[in-house]
């Protein structure tokens, strides 16, 4: 019986190198034992793993590669052997094994659920404590190593995650891997950058966001965890990250904008750029606390065109709005706001599902199908584009009046006002 040692729970690089060598020798999966045995230099800098090298003619489809990356992050102790058996069958061109494929599908779903749960816990932990940067997991989560990149996109600010076996630090720019609390009980160290040594080629896991999965989600944290991998349209490719909605969980007042801008895409939060600053000032003038509302966008990725070093905003098209609509519908279903303020044409079109002219619809209550009241107004970026100071002052006052109107539609029992 051949015995293979992998460096850590998500050692895709090591598993792949050993499997290629086993296939080259035509070694049957039933004669191989897989286990995890961290080497002494697992967290040493500039260490290259001593892995076998074999040249074989093996082509793995994108679908199968995604399956392998997901299953290797499941918690099943037999996952490495099952994946070896699966790839062995592909290499030998043997008839498909229905039972094996069914089991791998189950493990794929398990890994996805574990990833969603990890992300949701992560989001909840840091939203509960604004200044908190330390997140502890116990016991160690098998998907943690492969999910670190996604977590760094969800929370751009620095953080540390510690488990008994592994610690990960994000400094706002680079991910570092280090020993967990069992190995370094007093002080964890982070000497290895992601992508180096044993931490190179970590598995990727794309979480599904089908209509059924979205419809079953019961919290904003889960929705945001699902949205991190959104591939519903092509906007995710040039953008840095999904920028999901944020705000009070019991907010009776929801604001919906068009899409994140350059600053939002970099920082991971809605309305933090120039338009966000205008919006914040208008909230103060309308006597509304930002922390008491829920703020989101109709489209969750930044659409732009590059001009040199600059990224110039482009309006999302109807197909991109339709692709993103399930996220907005899920936010409304979970939040159940009493009043929804539509900031601009894109937001109003997404909410009302019809052609909207701001000048005709503005500043009047609109009954929505879910019982909420809608208010259409301009997007705060409109105020920034006005060249005339007098017009900008006049339109700013009108925008503030729209916000006051929205607030007045709420009952006094809602914790909205200063």
């Amino acid at each position: 019986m051949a015995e293979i040692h992998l460096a850590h729970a998500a050692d895709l690089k090591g598993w792949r190198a050993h499997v290629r060598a086993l296939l080259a020798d035509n070694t049957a999966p039933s004669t191989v034992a897989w286990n995890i045995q961290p080497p002494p230099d697992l967290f040493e800098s500039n260490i290259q793993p001593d892995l076998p090298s074999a040249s074989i003619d093996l082509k793995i489809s994108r679908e199968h590669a995604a399956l392998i990356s997901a299953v290797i992050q499941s918690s099943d102790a037999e996952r490495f052997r099952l994946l070896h058996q699966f790839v062995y069958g592909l290499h030998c061109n043997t008839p498909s094994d229905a039972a094996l494929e069914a089991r791998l599908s189950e493990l794929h779903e398990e890994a996805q659920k574990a990833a969603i749960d990890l992300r949701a816990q992560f989001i909840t932990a840091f939203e509960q404590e604004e200044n908190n940067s330390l997140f502890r997991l116990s016991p160690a989560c098998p998907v943690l190593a492969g999910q670190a990149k996604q977590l760094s996109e969800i929370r751009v600010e620095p953080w540390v995650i510690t488990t008994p076996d592994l610690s990960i630090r994000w400094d706002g720019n680079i991910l570092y891997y280090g020993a967990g609390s069992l190995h370094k009980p007093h002080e964890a160290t982070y000497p290895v950058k992601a992508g180096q040594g044993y931490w190179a080629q970590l598995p990727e896991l794309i979480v599904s966001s089908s209509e059924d999965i979205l419809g079953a989600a019961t919290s904003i944290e889960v929705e945001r965890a699902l949205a991190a991998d959104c591939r519903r349209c092509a906007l995710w490719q040039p953008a840095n990250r999904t920028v999901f909605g944020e705000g009070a969980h019991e907010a009776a007042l929801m604001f919906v904008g068009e899409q994140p801008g350059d600053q939002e895409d970099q920082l991971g939060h809605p309305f933090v750029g120039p338009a966000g600053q205008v919006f914040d000032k208008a909230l103060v003038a309308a006597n509304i606390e930002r922390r008491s509302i829920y703020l989101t966008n109709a489209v969750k990725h930044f659409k732009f065109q590059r001009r040199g070093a600059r990224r110039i905003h482009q309006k999302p098209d109807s197909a991109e709005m339709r692709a993103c609509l399930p996220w907005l519908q899920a936010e409304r279903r979970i939040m159940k706001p009493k009043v929804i303020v539509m900031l601009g044409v894109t937001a109003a079109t997404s909410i009302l599902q019809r052609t909207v002219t701001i000048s005709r619809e503005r500043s009047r209550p609109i009954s929505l199908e879910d019982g909420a009241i809608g208010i259409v107004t301009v997007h705060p970026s409109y105020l920034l584009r006005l060249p005339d100071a007098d017009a900008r002052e006049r339109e700013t006052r009108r925008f503030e009046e729209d916000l006051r109107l929205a607030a007045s539609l709420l009952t006094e029992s809602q914790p909205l006002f200063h």
Side-chain angles (χ1 to χ4, degrees), residues 262-384:
D262 179 78
Q263 290 296 308
E264 289 80 5
D265 179 61
Q266 293 183 48
L267 300 175
H269 303 288
F271 284 81
V272 292
Q277 295 172 22
V278 172
F279 179 67
D280 284 344
K281 291 178 181 178
L283 286 177
V284 171
N287 202 31
I288 300 171
E289 292 184 350
R290 177 159 172 162
R291 65 182 180 180
S292 68
I293 67 174
Y294 186 81
L295 184 58
T296 190
N297 283 295
V299 174
K300 310 301 195 221
H301 283 109
F302 178 35
K303 183 176 182 179
F304 61 90
Q305 183 178 50
R306 286 200 178 274
R307 292 182 188 171
R310 298 178 64 200
R311 301 192 299 175
I312 306 301
H313 162 275
Q314 285 190 306
K315 184 177 179 179
D317 61 32
S318 58
E320 291 155 351
M321 292 164 60
R322 283 195 304 272
C324 220
L325 182 61
W327 297 114
L328 183 56
Q329 291 173 330
E331 288 174 298
R332 291 176 62 186
R333 174 179 59 81
I334 292 171
M335 297 299 300
K336 295 181 175 58
K338 292 182 178 293
V339 177
I340 300 177
V341 180
M342 295 160 266
L343 303 170
V345 171
T346 298
T349 301
S350 291
I351 295 288
L352 301 176
Q353 287 295 290
R354 58 177 171 79
T355 302
V356 175
T357 302
I358 297 294
S359 60
R360 294 176 184 173
E361 309 275 2
R362 185 176 183 178
S363 306
R364 64 180 180 85
I366 301 172
S367 296
L368 303 179
E369 73 284 354
D370 60 357
I373 300 172
I375 294 292
V376 174
T377 187
V378 297
H379 193 282
S381 63
Y382 162 76
L383 304 176
L384 289 172

Side-chain angles (χ1 to χ4, degrees), residues 19-20 23 55-60 87-88 90-92:
V19 163
R20 292 180 68 88
L23 293 177
S55 178
I56 60 170
D57 184 17
L58 175 63
K59 292 182 174 62
I60 299 291
V87 176
Y88 183 82
L90 294 177
H91 181 61
C92 299

Side-chain angles (χ1 to χ4, degrees), residues 127-202:
E127 287 186 347
Q128 288 176 345
E129 296 290 340
E130 293 183 3
N131 297 321
N132 187 16
S133 63
L134 178 62
F135 181 39
R136 290 185 175 88
L137 281 177
S138 181
C141 182
V143 300
L144 175 58
Q147 287 294 297
K149 181 177 181 296
Q150 285 289 18
L151 298 181
S152 71
E153 294 179 359
I154 291 174
R155 180 181 169 92
V156 179
E157 298 86 350
W159 49 259
V160 174
I161 294 178
T162 65
T163 75
D165 300 315
L166 175 66
S167 294
I168 301 178
R169 177 168 66 91
W170 166 249
D171 67 1
N173 184 42
I174 299 172
L175 283 164
Y176 295 88
Y177 290 82
S181 57
L182 285 179
H183 308 286
K184 292 282 187 179
H186 302 297
E187 182 181 0
T189 57
Y190 308 91
V192 180
K193 292 181 182 179
Q196 294 182 349
Y198 292 99
W199 303 99
Q201 299 178 27
L202 289 167

